[in-house]
Amino acid sequence: GENVEQHPSTLSVQEGDSAVIKCTYSDSASNYFPWYKQELGKRPQLIIDIRSNVGEKKDQRIAVTLNKTAKHFSLHITETQPEDSAVYFCAAWGAGSYQLTFGKGTKLSVIP
Amino acid sequence: DTAVSQTPKYLVTQMGNDKSIKCEQNLGHDTMYWYKQDSKKFLKIMFSYNNKELIINETVPNRFSPKSPDKAHLNLHINSLELGDSAVYFCASSQDANEQFFGPGTRLTVL
């Protein structure tokens, strides 16, 4: 089955700096890669996603890049703000599997 | 409108008891899921139902039994609760390989 590795597990940045979270996946047939943000005590919510036919996608301060050859994808947050502090999860959808496999999460702390 | 709802929000019970968690989605999605999130925040898939058919069972103990009366509902029944079952349980739904919408979670505490 699919295996998703996520790094780092914790990340502290100064407000205004950029944050990068990286994930690798094992199943070359995976074709959908969402990122979820989970604030303390809340449900995970989608912040951005990318499909295997696209190399990069951007939404305001958030961007995701995908390298299918290397089987890794990354989340980039620019001009971080305190409200970006949360746990971020990457995930991969295995083709034909009806399942998202999640990484173990990255706790991002943005220091004012 | 609430897209995915679950009840109860909190559940405190004694070891050995049986409990159920209910989930409903009004998004018309074909697939619903149960996830367990432990104290380390790992999100682990437990079950997936597609059009009322179980399509994944991730080696969860058979004390856990999902039941889907229709494609808008996926309930989770747990028998003989153990301390290690304490966690937050999230229901979610999606339409194929698209955004999964999560419910608010049920925090289960087994004493």
Side-chain angles (χ1 to χ4, degrees):
Chain A
E2 176 67 275
N3 182 46
V4 176
E5 299 285 339
Q6 181 172 347
H7 299 280
S9 56
T10 60
L11 179 60
S12 290
V13 299
Q14 292 289 332
E15 182 177 357
D17 287 351
S18 295
V20 180
I21 303 170
K22 299 183 178 182
C23 290
T24 60
Y25 61 99
S26 60
D27 184 357
S28 57
S30 290
N31 55 15
Y32 174 62
F33 306 92
W35 287 87
Y36 284 82
K37 175 183 180 182
Q38 186 178 26
E39 295 176 352
L40 190 62
K42 302 282 184 66
R43 72 190 81 187
Q45 290 192 291
L46 182 77
I47 55 171
I48 196 167
D49 56 12
I50 192 167
R51 297 191 185 272
S52 57
N53 57 348
V54 175
E56 185 174 357
K57 185 176 178 180
K58 190 173 181 180
D59 182 3
Q60 300 182 341
R61 297 186 296 108
I62 294 173
V64 58
T65 58
L66 172 65
N67 183 326
K68 283 183 61 179
T69 303
K71 290 188 284 187
H72 67 71
F73 56 114
S74 300
L75 178 71
H76 305 253
I77 306 174
T78 58
E79 300 172 23
T80 52
Q81 300 167 5
E83 52 266 38
D84 294 330
S85 296
V87 178
Y88 291 81
F89 293 95
C90 64
W93 178 278
S97 72
Y98 289 98
Q99 177 182 354
L100 268 182
T101 301
F102 282 84
K104 291 187 175 179
T106 297
K107 183 176 181 180
L108 173 64
S109 300
V110 179
I111 304 162
Chain B
D1 283 346
T2 303
V4 183
S5 59
Q6 358 177 166
T7 54
K9 191 167 176 61
Y10 299 96
L11 192 49
V12 181
T13 189
Q14 299 286 332
M15 272 196 310
N17 284 350
D18 303 338
K19 290 294 178 185
S20 293
I21 307 172
K22 295 186 176 182
C23 177
E24 177 180 1
Q25 56 101 358
N26 63 7
L27 298 166
H29 289 163
D30 285 339
T31 310
M32 295 183 71
Y33 313 83
W34 277 109
Y35 288 90
K36 179 181 180 180
Q37 186 170 48
D38 60 22
S39 57
K40 293 183 179 178
K41 303 298 184 187
F42 300 157
L43 269 171
K44 291 187 65 175
I45 182 79
M46 299 177 69
F47 298 104
S48 174
Y49 258 75
N50 180 261
N51 278 323
K52 300 195 294 176
E53 298 296 324
L54 178 66
I55 55 175
I56 297 173
N57 180 338
E58 291 291 316
T59 62
V60 173
N62 58 14
R63 298 182 295 104
F64 291 79
S65 53
K67 289 200 168 45
S68 181
D70 55 60
K71 79 170 195 177
H73 296 84
L74 181 63
N75 304 323
L76 182 64
H77 188 75
I78 316 169
N79 290 326
S80 304
L81 279 156
E82 301 178 356
L83 292 175
D85 298 333
S86 295
V88 179
Y89 292 83
F90 285 102
C91 176
S93 74
S94 75
Q95 187 64 33
D96 300 323
N98 292 295
E99 178 179 359
Q100 284 193 10
F101 290 81
F102 285 80
T106 295
R107 182 174 294 276
L108 172 65
T109 303
V110 182
L111 304 175

